């Protein structure tokens, strides 16, 4: 068994233990939707025993496309009583299979911001159609997904909140934060070495949010590097992973 699969098995075991009897109520399934005739494959999870969902959390994947990581996060959120919708930014038939393709797919989105926003906004609109979807929605994302969260915020999407985990923080040329409609939460590592995600980039972002009068908060985890929430990453930091997940839960309880 590979280390990645071993970690996933361990995560699932922990999740099952925490959920106890509620596990039988968790429904998790792939969800195919279309944007202008092109198929995208997401993943929806919710607790069928609840009379009413606490709200919807949209999850945007890292640059390697939607995979078991986003599915596990979706199931964790469902166990907490939320409807989780892990979206697909690339398209069902265009999932990357190598580091080179990861870079290529993400680069396509960064180079065509209009198309990037179109896909993100269409996925947000799809929340109205998913099982147990709600009107109160928060979006979260990891790495590339964290950058996508900020893109969606700048696009003026009417969500209850936006949460970036170790995401790209740079402001694209010609964009502003003037149209943001919900609070932004940044969860970041102080030792992130990636261009666009360093402490200087975070400071610049906070200045931009202040200037645009956007409600925001940031939690910085000392010594944590990039991808600190991803168990099979060399940057994984258990303490920062747990602390950031707790901050997310507090944010969801406050905003949804």
């Amino acid at each position: 068994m590979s280390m990645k699969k071993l970690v996933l098995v361990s995560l699932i075991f922990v999740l099952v233990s925490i959920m106890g009897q509620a596990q039988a109520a968790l429904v998790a399934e792939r969800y195919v939707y279309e944007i202008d005739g092109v198929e995208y494959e997401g993943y929806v999870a919710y607790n069928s025993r609840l009379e009413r969902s606490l709200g919807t959390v949209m999850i945007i994947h890292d640059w390697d496309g939607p995979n078991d990581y986003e599915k596990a996060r979706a199931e964790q959120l469902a166990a907490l009583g939320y409807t989780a919708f892990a979206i697909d930014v690339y398209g069902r038939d265009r999932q990357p299979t190598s580091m080179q393709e990861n870079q290529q797919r993400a680069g396509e989105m960064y180079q065509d911001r209009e198309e990037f926003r179109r896909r993100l906004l269409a996925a947000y609109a799809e929340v109205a159609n998913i099982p147990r979807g709600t009107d109160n929605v928060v979006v979260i994302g990891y790495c590339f997904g964290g950058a996508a969260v900020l893109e969606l915020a700048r696009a003026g999407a009417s969500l209850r909140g936006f949460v970036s985990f170790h995401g790209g923080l740079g402001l694209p040329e010609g964009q502003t934060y003037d149209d943001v409609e919900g609070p932004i939460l940044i969860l970041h590592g102080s030792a992130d070495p990636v261009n666009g995600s360093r402490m200087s980039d975070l400071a610049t972002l906070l200045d931009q949010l202040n200037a645009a009068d956007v409600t925001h908060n940031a939690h910085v985890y000392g010594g944590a590097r990039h991808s600190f929430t991803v168990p099979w990453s060399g940057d994984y930091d258990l303490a920062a992973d747990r602390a950031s997940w707790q901050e997310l839960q507090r944010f969801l309880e406050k905003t949804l």
Side-chain angles (χ1 to χ4, degrees):
M1 181 179 291
S2 68
M3 179 59 69
K4 182 173 179 179
K5 288 184 178 178
L6 182 60
V7 171
L8 282 171
V9 170
S10 298
L11 284 175
I12 292 170
F13 177 77
V14 171
L15 181 59
V16 170
S17 298
I18 292 173
M19 290 173 60
Q21 293 183 348
Q23 171 66 26
L26 190 147
V27 176
E29 55 195 5
R30 69 188 184 94
Y31 180 86
V32 178
Y33 59 104
E34 290 189 5
I35 302 175
D36 293 338
V38 177
E39 288 190 338
Y40 293 76
E41 185 171 317
Y43 190 75
V44 175
Y46 58 90
N47 189 332
S48 63
R49 284 189 185 172
L50 293 180
E51 191 172 315
R52 175 175 169 277
S53 171
L54 296 178
T56 300
V57 182
M58 195 166 86
I59 305 169
I60 307 178
H61 56 77
D62 196 357
W63 71 341
D64 56 351
N67 56 38
D68 288 340
Y69 180 80
E70 286 77 27
K71 291 178 181 178
R73 291 300 187 186
E75 290 167 16
Q76 283 181 287
L77 288 162
L80 294 171
Y82 300 100
T83 300
F85 179 30
I87 72 166
D88 171 14
V89 177
Y90 297 149
R92 191 178 187 186
D93 296 327
R94 301 197 75 243
Q95 297 305 309
T97 58
S98 66
M99 188 67 72
Q100 181 180 0
E101 289 186 354
N102 293 347
Q103 186 174 14
Q104 180 181 348
R105 296 291 182 270
E108 289 169 357
M109 295 294 92
Y110 289 145
Q111 292 163 19
D112 189 344
R113 294 283 172 168
E114 184 176 344
E115 177 64 15
F116 198 9
R117 290 188 174 192
R118 187 180 72 87
R119 296 185 191 185
L120 294 172
L121 289 168
Y124 170 47
E126 191 65 29
V127 170
N129 300 321
I130 67 172
R132 299 293 179 94
T134 67
D135 293 333
N136 51 331
V137 184
V138 163
V139 61
I140 71 174
Y142 300 85
C143 298
F144 166 79
V149 162
L150 296 180
E151 186 74 36
L152 194 53
R154 293 188 298 266
S158 301
L159 283 82
R160 294 286 184 89
F162 305 84
V163 184
S164 168
F165 289 83
H166 44 80
L169 307 176
L171 181 65
E173 184 177 355
Q175 292 192 14
T176 72
Y177 283 95
D178 293 343
D179 296 327
V180 176
E181 295 195 18
I184 292 176
L185 174 62
I186 305 296
L187 303 169
H188 216 75
S190 71
D192 194 323
V194 176
N195 287 335
S197 298
R198 295 171 177 166
M199 284 296 93
S200 57
D201 300 303
L202 176 58
T204 299
L205 170 62
L206 297 181
D207 284 341
Q208 293 163 345
L209 296 177
N210 276 317
D213 199 26
V214 174
T215 300
H216 65 279
N217 206 344
H219 292 267
V220 176
Y221 304 102
R225 294 173 58 83
H226 200 65
S227 303
F228 64 82
T229 70
V230 183
W232 49 85
S233 166
D235 290 344
Y236 184 65
D237 187 315
L238 178 61
D241 183 16
R242 287 178 171 174
S244 61
W245 188 252
Q246 290 171 353
E247 287 302 331
L248 171 64
Q249 290 181 65
R250 282 190 277 270
F251 184 82
L252 295 177
E253 290 169 0
K254 183 177 180 180
T255 57
L256 290 179

